[in-house]
Amino acid sequence: VQLQASGGGLVQAGGSLRLSCVASQRTYSSFVAGWFRRAPGKEREFVAARRQNSGNTYYADSVKGRFTISRDSAKNTVYLQMNNLKPEDTAIYFCAGGSHYDTVPSAYRYWGQGTLVTVSS
């Protein structure tokens, strides 16, 4: 499975962006889609994940209530809707996929290229 992320850009604090992650093929039922980010000088960190079979979603505390992960099965696409963005959300965002939910990057087998999100104050 190849993943292609897009949708990053420059936005003012309080604004919104929607990131997209398109899979090259229909993903299997137990697939878990995730979003991670890497801020300047920091390690890659978990942002959100979604189990395809149950629809259960998981979020980092730092984005809970502001970000929403969703999926359009017809388009083989997972989205990350980001609202009320803050300067500390500035990072390269990566989409990922695998067979198990976890908050560590090593749990995910498939990775898209990053897309840069910059939030100005």
Side-chain angles (χ1 to χ4, degrees):
V1 179
Q2 293 182 329
L3 304 176
Q4 179 83 26
S6 62
L10 173 64
V11 63
Q12 288 188 329
S16 298
L17 279 175
R18 188 178 77 163
L19 306 183
S20 300
C21 179
V22 181
S24 59
Q25 62 193 63
R26 192 170 188 83
T27 49
Y28 46 90
S29 61
S30 60
F31 194 79
V32 177
W35 287 95
F36 287 76
R37 66 185 181 187
R38 186 174 68 232
K42 294 187 176 182
E43 298 292 319
R44 191 173 301 196
E45 66 173 3
F46 171 77
V47 175
R50 182 184 184 278
R51 293 184 189 271
Q52 182 167 310
N53 51 12
S54 65
N56 289 348
T57 57
Y58 309 87
Y59 298 94
D61 288 343
S62 59
V63 307
K64 204 171 291 183
R66 300 187 297 122
F67 291 12
T68 302
I69 186 171
S70 62
R71 174 178 177 257
D72 184 332
S73 59
K75 296 182 179 180
N76 290 338
T77 300
V78 172
Y79 301 101
L80 185 68
Q81 177 67 43
M82 306 185 295
N83 298 329
N84 190 21
L85 283 160
K86 304 176 181 181
E88 52 264 42
D89 294 318
T90 294
I92 301 173
Y93 284 71
F94 301 87
C95 62
S99 300
H100 306 284
Y101 163 65
D102 206 318
T103 59
V104 297
S106 60
Y108 295 81
R109 177 178 179 182
Y110 308 104
W111 288 88
Q113 88 294 354
T115 184
L116 177 63
V117 172
T118 303
V119 184
S120 63
S121 56

